[in-house]
Amino acid sequence: MRKPRPAIGALFFFGTALVLALYFTFAAVQGSFGLFNRVQVQAESSELVQRRDRLQVELSQLQNKTTRLSDDFLDLDLLDERARDVLGLGRPDDVIIR
């Protein structure tokens, strides 16, 4: 009597299918377009949006100061404040506390 041999073709097919399934699962989770990378990109995107918003606020403040110190519209109080701060100037009747 002959002994039944395992079907090598079926084993090869299922082995190949298992290896491919594991490869694609790994690529979907850890690949360059995988889930972990997507979470990292989304976190970086939200940080950049927050930074952009802070820079827009800072830009609008600087534009306001620039407008107030321009030739067309001169704010003397702001000019006095900046001269004191940058140049270290003061009036004779000022009391300077350091």
Side-chain angles (χ1 to χ4, degrees):
M1 244 176 133
R2 257 176 54 187
K3 290 184 180 180
R5 289 184 5 209
I8 293 178
L11 287 176
F12 178 74
F13 174 75
F14 285 117
T16 304
L18 178 66
V19 167
L20 286 175
L22 289 174
Y23 171 75
F24 286 119
T25 302
F26 178 79
V29 174
Q30 298 246 352
S32 60
F33 296 104
L35 294 176
F36 290 148
N37 195 25
R38 181 176 183 176
V39 169
Q40 183 181 4
V41 167
Q42 286 175 342
E44 187 177 320
S45 173
S46 66
E47 288 176 17
L48 289 174
V49 167
Q50 290 173 356
R51 183 173 179 215
R52 181 202 63 198
D53 294 341
R54 285 192 309 268
L55 288 174
Q56 283 178 339
V57 168
E58 184 179 341
L59 176 66
S60 67
Q61 290 172 347
L62 289 174
Q63 285 175 337
N64 182 24
K65 281 186 179 180
T66 303
T67 302
R68 290 171 53 199
L69 289 175
S70 68
D71 290 336
D72 299 332
F73 180 82
L74 184 59
D75 186 357
L76 295 177
D77 290 333
L78 180 62
L79 181 63
D80 184 50
E81 174 190 329
R82 297 308 304 155
R84 290 170 186 252
D85 186 40
V86 174
L87 301 175
L89 298 177
R91 293 187 203 139
D93 61 339
D94 283 345
V95 176
I96 300 173
I97 300 173
R98 290 185 186 229

